[in-house]
Amino acid sequence: MFPVWPMWAKVGVWYLSVIFLTLYFGLLILRMIIYTMFWIVGFDFWIFPNINDEYCGFLDSFQPLYSWEKRKDDPLMLFVRFGSLAITAVAIQQIAETHSLADVQDLITTSYADPTS
């Protein structure tokens, strides 16, 4: 029945879908960044730990708000965590030498510019 919907309803559903997916993927990326930061120092910290659990109901997906556990790692895992931190630090330093935020801003503004003008 979607083809017989009025145009305002189609556009509204499209906007709601884009907003929902943007918020959902933004939350997933934020969760992963925060988890990685805490993982490096030895903790498992999750925001909305049940959000992707298919056996939870809708409201149960948002409970508990967070989970927090101390990791029990051996020395090899400590080496892996701090080695990954060192690799990330070197990568960020190398990217900062070759690119700046002005480059990203120029990319965004030129991508929205009208190619015919």
Side-chain angles (χ1 to χ4, degrees), residues 21-97:
L21 286 173
T22 302
L23 290 175
Y24 179 69
F25 286 118
L27 177 64
L28 291 181
I29 291 169
L30 178 70
R31 287 177 74 222
M32 188 54 62
I33 291 171
I34 291 173
Y35 175 81
T36 303
M37 290 187 326
F38 278 97
W39 177 80
I40 288 172
V41 294
F43 293 98
D44 283 339
F45 179 73
W46 283 107
I47 299 172
F48 299 125
N50 294 331
I51 199 156
N52 292 325
D53 189 359
E54 61 188 49
Y55 299 109
C56 288
F58 179 76
L59 293 178
D60 292 336
S61 296
F62 299 102
Q63 295 174 355
L65 186 63
Y66 66 91
S67 69
W68 175 277
E69 292 180 26
K70 175 124 175 64
R71 294 183 61 89
K72 298 171 183 70
D73 293 333
D74 58 346
L76 177 64
M77 194 61 188
L78 291 172
F79 177 73
V80 168
R81 285 201 322 245
F82 288 112
S84 64
L85 179 63
I87 290 170
T88 304
V90 170
I92 289 172
Q93 189 263 340
Q94 290 295 319
I95 290 171
E97 285 182 1

Side-chain angles (χ1 to χ4, degrees), residues 103-115:
D103 294 337
V104 174
Q105 182 181 6
D106 290 341
L107 173 70
I108 291 172
T109 55
T110 57
S111 67
Y112 285 115
D114 186 17

